[in-house]
Amino acid sequence: MPELPEVETIVRKYSKLLSGQKIAAFESRWPRQVSPDYNAVKTALPGLQINNLSRRAKFIVMHLSNNSWLLVHLRMSGRFEWLKPGESEPAHVRALWTFESGEQLLFCDARKFGRIIYTSDFAAATAGIGIEPLERSFTAARLGDILHSHSRTIKTMLLDQSLIAGLGNIYTDESLHMAGIHPARRSDGISDEEVLRLHGAIKTVLKEAIRHNGTSFDWIYPDGHMQDNLKVYGRKGEPCRSCGGIIERTVTGQRGTHFCPRCQPLK
DNA sequence: TGGTATGTTCCAAA
DNA sequence: TTTTGGAACATACC
């Protein structure tokens, strides 16, 4: 389901609900999602308090009172639900936190791809993750260095979480369209001027998506409105809102890839 | 029934 | 050695 804007929206929503909550119990119904070891995590969590929530890449980060962390990755179909005492459970509950308040955080995940990681070493757990695209350190020069450091298809490079953190299939396609760059272009062939445009496009697209609470097009993630503002993603065969060209869909790196052949020539 | 899915990892092939 | 392609994970929807 989620990319950076959707995770950011979830973190903002659940920050108020979770900050200060004391964990009474933790349970997983699909233990292989929990690492490093479900029984150890189940034993460690009761008694701890959630200090606050934040986001790193597509991870929801809970900072706990013993200075350890829980990282939750929603992958394709994960979502949070909030359950008050007496309310009935929704479908696909895979893990749940019960708080001393009696309220419960549910981790629902139809496809069971999500991950829950408990760690006392946040730096080590996130060591392989690339730069945050909305931070000041993500400059056009930095993006240029990343793109020119290898010769790869630009679309798959933007999706590589070890380089840039948080872009997924929707916002990669949207950013490339805004920058006028064909998704099959080689990363090391992107000109300095194009790097500048792409850098601006990534920041603009992500910020706009956050403003709209992310993108919603199925039952998994209901709270977003960015779907009304997408220019290419999911618009195969429809006219480009910029030039009137017909949006095409191809497959790169096993991901559907949407672009406007007129705004984004292959050269 | 078959195709598709907002993600990531691993291994083989090029 | 670097990059790409395919399968796997597991399930639901159209």
Side-chain angles (χ1 to χ4, degrees):
Chain A
M1 166 182 71
E3 306 180 28
L4 187 154
E6 290 76 28
V7 176
E8 182 66 30
T9 301
I10 292 165
V11 164
R12 291 178 186 184
K13 174 179 176 181
Y14 278 88
S15 182
K16 306 177 196 74
L17 293 167
L18 290 175
S19 296
Q21 293 272 7
K22 288 195 180 74
I23 300 171
F26 170 74
E27 176 196 339
S28 169
R29 297 174 187 170
W30 194 252
R32 74 178 66 172
Q33 295 186 296
V34 181
S35 67
D37 172 73
Y38 170 51
N39 285 314
V41 177
K42 182 181 166 67
T43 306
L45 293 187
L48 300 181
Q49 184 181 85
I50 299 176
N51 290 342
N52 58 63
L53 273 200
S54 58
R55 179 190 60 74
R56 174 74 172 104
K58 298 173 190 170
F59 285 97
I60 298 163
V61 180
M62 300 182 195
H63 188 204
L64 304 177
S65 53
N66 65 343
N67 207 30
S68 62
W69 287 264
L70 271 176
L71 309 183
V72 179
H73 201 302
L74 302 171
R75 293 280 180 98
M76 289 291 265
S77 63
R79 60 190 167 90
F80 276 178
E81 290 285 341
W82 189 247
L83 206 66
K84 291 177 179 162
E87 291 181 337
S88 54
E89 273 188 22
H92 313 306
V93 175
R94 307 304 182 195
L96 61 164
W97 290 256
T98 303
F99 300 106
E100 291 184 2
S101 64
E103 297 162 307
Q104 290 180 306
L105 173 67
L106 309 183
F107 174 66
C108 306
D109 185 14
R111 293 171 71 178
K112 301 178 182 173
F113 289 169
R115 292 292 179 268
I116 298 170
I117 300 162
Y118 179 62
T119 180
S120 57
D121 190 342
F122 180 78
T126 58
I129 300 176
I131 191 168
E132 285 288 330
L134 291 181
E135 302 223 322
R136 302 176 75 90
S137 53
F138 181 66
T139 60
R142 184 70 194 279
L143 175 62
D145 288 344
I146 292 169
L147 296 181
H148 298 153
S149 67
H150 299 279
S151 181
R152 292 173 57 184
T153 309
I154 186 152
K155 157 109 183 184
T156 53
M157 202 160 187
L158 294 178
L159 286 172
D160 187 334
Q161 299 297 300
S162 72
L163 301 174
I164 301 169
L167 283 175
N169 210 31
I170 298 175
Y171 302 117
T172 297
D173 283 0
E174 293 296 313
S175 298
L176 286 170
H177 176 262
M178 181 175 282
I181 297 171
H182 192 289
R185 295 268 306 279
R186 302 257 102 205
S187 62
D188 58 350
I190 303 297
S191 72
D192 289 345
E193 191 188 321
E194 288 171 323
V195 169
L196 216 54
R197 288 210 305 269
L198 182 56
H199 174 259
I202 289 169
K203 294 219 179 210
T204 301
V205 163
L206 291 177
K207 284 182 194 167
E208 189 188 1
I210 290 173
R211 227 171 34 241
H212 291 282
N213 290 336
T215 299
S216 301
F217 37 59
D218 58 26
W219 81 109
I220 296 170
Y221 181 81
D223 299 325
H225 297 284
M226 185 64 182
Q227 63 276 12
D228 304 326
N229 297 281
L230 298 177
K231 306 294 193 293
V232 285
Y233 187 87
R235 299 193 65 243
K236 175 188 174 185
E238 295 177 36
C240 174
R241 300 196 213 276
S242 303
C243 76
I246 300 301
I247 305 301
E248 291 184 14
R249 181 184 183 278
T250 57
V251 175
T252 2
Q254 296 181 298
R255 312 302 300 275
T257 298
H258 313 75
F259 64 98
C260 169
R262 270 162 73 177
C263 294
Q264 301 164 266
L266 192 48
K267 287 195 172 174

